[in-house]
Amino acid sequence: MQRPFHMTLHSALVVSAVTWVAANVGGCTHRGEDEAQTARVRLVFKHGKIAGRPDALRGLLDRFEASTPGVEVVETSLPSDSDEQHRFYVINLEGGASEFDVMALDVIWISEFARAGWIRPLDALLSEDARSDFFPGTLDAVTFEGRAYAVPWFADAGVLYARRDLLAEIGAEPPRTWAELRNAARRIRDLHPELHGFVWQGKQYEGLVCNALEYIWGSGGDVIDEGRVVLDSSTNEIALQTMRGWIEEGLTPPSVTTMTEEPARHVFQAGRAAFMRNWPYAYTLLQQEGSAVRDKVVVTRLPAATLGGWHLAVNADTRHPELAERFVRFMTSAEAAKTLALSFGYQPARRSVYDDAEIRANSAFIPGLPDILGAARPRPVTPYYLMMSKILQLEFSAAVSGLRPPKVALARAAEALRHLMGEEGPR
Ligand code: GLC
């Protein structure tokens, strides 16, 4: 199968200039019609590690197998870290791997994989009618040059977890601004010096970019505006200083600079922190039996939320394109979304599922989440997002860990981004 040429960095982000013939994608895949009727076919589904009950996923796969005779679905998981999964896919798909058929992709990779010709267009699965149920941000992320390359599986948005009991002790409402959060964390720490004030994701990886964008956007700043890099602003400097300030003031442990989602959740779930920034999946686990914070947590809006999520795509080199599509249709149905929400706290990308009575009655249901998801801001949708992110990860990490003042880190990142985007000279 023909692979697209590699573009130079200079033309990066000039999405309209990309000449990729969509017809090339999946051009060699129309084989094996009616595979379900013949010998037993093995369909391999790859996804990131799922915290919680693996049996619930197996239950879903069993349901698919029962409805599609002759098919065996094998699921294999990758590490939960988004960057590590990305590395796996780039290496394997670049090498034309066909031993997995369906993949759960982070929102930020879909246009990159589509442009590279690694995933099949899936327009047939996203008719006009089907589209209206999904959050608009999730649809933008799966669309590349007017075609759908993945189907939204679940949606994510950064949220704030707060200990209801500790807020009550200081007589405070859940904080709505970074200043209110700092104030509440300080007061709780005065009463409970053994607790951390606030834990979040500060490791040098994609999650740090999601966290930092919430400070940047929440302060009215941005990274790129109308195609221009606007990262090196005084607003953004204050935003990064606020992040660094948590550690400097001792409200966040220095180990946050090594934390991804799960380590932060473990600290919070053990009852060792007053506040946590994380994705909604954590709530189901915090509410589990045996959790030290069960029924003690309130989930609220951050000053700004980054939109995340994972969507299902089909390997362009799959030997079972039709079965793979059928599987994606099943796994992204309202029925599957409900199981995923109840078992793992994966938030449905379909709005209608939030009206389901069983979902609303579940102890891990987060009221107001559809509004938070609807208002969450996507990271730039471009095939070059990962290149941008690597630049941001390096400099945000330097600022958060105190290696460089925020102003210097932002200036360095802005310069590298301008170079990547081919912008000339200072603004
Ligand atoms: C979550 C989000 C994803 C994001 C990742 C960063 O998995 O859904 O979009 O990139 O966290 O760690």
Side-chain angles (χ1 to χ4, degrees), residues 15 26 94 125 254 301 345:
V15 179
E94 184 69 52
L125 298 187
R301 204 183 262 278

Side-chain angles (χ1 to χ4, degrees), residues 37-102:
Q37 326 262 299
T38 59
R40 203 160 160 82
V41 169
R42 196 163 173 265
L43 206 61
V44 179
F45 172 39
K46 272 219 174 297
H47 56 83
K49 188 163 182 288
I50 298 176
R53 305 172 35 199
D55 56 306
L57 178 62
R58 192 59 248 172
L60 262 183
L61 305 183
D62 290 349
R63 248 144 75 194
F64 178 74
E65 286 180 357
S67 70
T68 318
V71 177
E72 177 197 4
V73 184
V74 177
E75 51 106 6
T76 58
S77 58
L78 292 167
S80 54
D81 183 320
S82 171
D83 303 62
E84 286 181 38
Q85 294 186 53
H86 183 262
R87 213 167 301 131
F88 169 88
Y89 284 123
V90 170
I91 292 167
N92 285 278
L93 294 170
E94 184 69 52
S98 61
E99 60 275 7
F100 48 90
D101 307 284
V102 176

Side-chain angles (χ1 to χ4, degrees), residues 197-228:
F198 183 37
V199 290
W200 36 280
Q201 295 78 43
K203 184 186 156 182
Q204 185 179 326
Y205 82 122
E206 184 57 32
L208 172 60
V209 176
C210 297
N211 278 246
L213 287 173
E214 287 163 354
Y215 290 82
I216 288 177
W217 289 333
S219 332
D222 212 337
V223 176
I224 290 170
D225 188 22
E226 295 183 358
R228 305 281 293 172

Side-chain angles (χ1 to χ4, degrees), residues 395-418:
E395 296 302 333
F396 289 168
S397 168
V400 162
S401 52
L403 218 62
R404 279 194 266 289
K407 190 181 171 103
V408 176
L410 289 169
R412 288 167 59 110
E415 192 193 338
L417 283 181
R418 289 199 181 98

Side-chain angles (χ1 to χ4, degrees), residues 82 106-108 156 205-207 210 261 279 308-310 379:
S82 171
D106 194 339
V107 272
I108 50 178
D156 255 346
Y205 82 122
E206 184 57 32
C210 297
E261 287 82 2
W279 307 99
W310 293 77
R379 286 156 281 172

Side-chain angles (χ1 to χ4, degrees), residues 286-310:
L286 300 175
Q287 283 292 75
Q288 268 175 354
E289 219 171 301
S291 156
V293 298
R294 188 175 182 180
D295 291 334
K296 289 185 183 163
V297 177
V298 52
V299 186
T300 60
R301 204 183 262 278
L302 285 163
T306 300
L307 182 68
W310 293 77

